[in-house]
Amino acid sequence: SSYRQTTLGTDLSWAHHGWQVWGEAMVARFQVPNVGNADTFTYFLEAKYKVTPNLFAAVRWNQQLFGTVPDGAGGAQHWDRNIFRVDTALGYRFTRHLQGKLQYSVAHENGPVQQGEQLLAAQLTVKF
């Protein structure tokens, strides 16, 4: 038999002067053999501000929430761990073709073990 996945999503954005704000949300339902429906909802909100024509700061909030499924013992439990992540960044455009960015991220998922909870990254982008 065929098991379906149904996904519905939307996004929106807004910009004014040095501000840019955008977000996206999705809900999905998976038909799982011997389980039934497994639902999830995920979204992010992001804001970016141009401090100067070359310098910008940004922040992003991501979250994914999981529905419950039967646990086989008459109860129900989440089919995966709910998670959130916050990203912050500071970027500088050196020229039309060269940009640098520093990013710090913190993530947390429900559960006893945290995987990759903190991240510090540097990025150099060359456009040609």
Side-chain angles (χ1 to χ4, degrees):
S1 182
S2 178
Y3 294 95
R4 296 190 182 275
Q5 173 187 341
T6 304
T7 304
L8 179 64
T10 187
D11 64 89
L12 53 105
S13 62
W14 171 83
H16 184 71
H17 297 293
W19 285 98
Q20 291 179 306
V21 179
W22 59 96
E24 183 177 284
M26 295 185 132
V27 62
R29 171 168 280 174
F30 303 89
Q31 290 180 342
V32 181
N34 302 318
V35 173
N37 293 328
D39 298 330
T40 184
F41 173 70
T42 184
Y43 70 95
F44 76 85
L45 297 170
E46 187 167 347
K48 178 180 171 184
Y49 180 70
K50 279 189 171 184
V51 180
T52 70
N54 295 60
L55 179 67
F56 69 87
V59 63
R60 175 182 175 126
W61 173 270
N62 306 273
Q63 191 166 12
Q64 185 165 11
L65 307 168
F66 294 90
T68 57
V69 294
D71 65 5
Q77 65 181 12
H78 291 279
W79 63 275
D80 206 345
R81 299 185 211 173
N82 293 340
I83 185 168
F84 75 83
R85 180 173 155 169
V86 179
D87 304 303
T88 58
L90 191 61
Y92 190 81
R93 184 174 301 277
F94 298 100
T95 68
R96 280 182 48 193
H97 302 286
L98 184 64
Q99 176 178 290
K101 183 173 80 171
L102 288 174
Q103 178 178 323
Y104 176 70
S105 302
V106 176
H108 181 78
E109 58 183 310
N110 291 351
V113 178
Q114 298 301 306
Q115 301 174 17
E117 191 172 55
Q118 297 187 47
L119 171 72
L120 180 62
Q123 179 182 38
L124 188 63
T125 305
V126 179
K127 178 181 163 185
F128 52 92

